[in-house]
Amino acid sequence: NGGNENIRNYDNVTLVCCETTTGFISALLHSAWAPLGVERLLHMISSGYMSSKIPLFRCTDACQFGLSGDPELTKQYNQGILGDDPLWLPTGPTHRQNQAGVRRYPAGFWTFAGAGPHSRSNQMVITLKPNRFMGGGSPWEVPLGELVGEQSYETISKWYTGYGEKGPSQKVLKREGYSKRVQNQWPLMDSILHCSIVDERLIFPS
């Protein structure tokens, strides 16, 4: 998708597939992009956490998610702070868009969400549109993967963005999860239903 010009060498590449309320998405997770982030996400998938009806609760030009539909599961992963991955994105406003017009985060990039150094835990973001500003080249929002296949992009194009910043708060989801009250108050909110690991390959630089 033109967003990974800065990556020349990578090793473990893992294909994952997730079922959402609007269809399926497939993503390639690159360990060399974000080794800590990929390791955490793969554990969240293999443990079943990512199959606990994850609300896509804050959707604008990107969707934020990661709080489990089961608040007890959220507690387990919300406590473990994930350190920052090595920064390979160019930093500063002059690098928000490259000479080819590619913005720092193209559509379909997958990253953990953070609020400062070493602040990541269980919340993530997938970009729905090219985004110049997201992350700002911050080490706590280094991309860990990218969506692949037309079906994936068709699926995310259907995620409901009408609630914008007025979806359920993180506080509500941490306390209630995907409760009946949450479902009734935000009936159009989409969610991730199930994720699985499909394949893993070791790729060497050419």
Side-chain angles (χ1 to χ4, degrees), residues 1-7 25-30 33 41 61-65 88-90 102-113 124-131 134-135 141-148 152-153 156 159:
N1 59 17
N4 56 358
E5 292 86 350
N6 295 298
I7 298 298
I25 59 172
S26 298
L28 287 178
L29 308 183
H30 299 276
W33 290 16
L41 177 54
D61 59 352
C63 269
Q64 185 172 344
F65 60 97
W88 54 266
L89 283 171
V102 176
R103 298 182 178 185
R104 179 160 26 218
Y105 271 59
F109 261 26
W110 190 330
T111 178
F112 272 93
M124 293 166 279
V125 171
I126 290 178
T127 48
L128 306 182
K129 300 177 181 178
N131 190 309
M134 185 177 167
E141 291 183 345
V142 171
L144 58 85
E146 56 188 332
L147 300 189
V148 292
S152 298
Y153 288 89
I156 67 173
W159 287 352

Side-chain angles (χ1 to χ4, degrees), residues 12-59:
N12 285 345
V13 178
T14 305
L15 176 65
V16 301
C17 182
C18 297
E19 181 184 3
T20 80
T21 44
T22 64
F24 290 86
I25 59 172
S26 298
L28 287 178
L29 308 183
H30 299 276
S31 291
W33 290 16
L36 298 177
V38 168
E39 182 180 18
R40 168 66 64 88
L41 177 54
L42 291 178
H43 187 270
M44 294 171 74
I45 294 173
S46 62
S47 70
Y49 182 95
M50 292 298 295
S51 298
S52 60
K53 199 170 186 181
I54 307 291
L56 297 160
F57 70 91
R58 185 185 180 192
C59 293

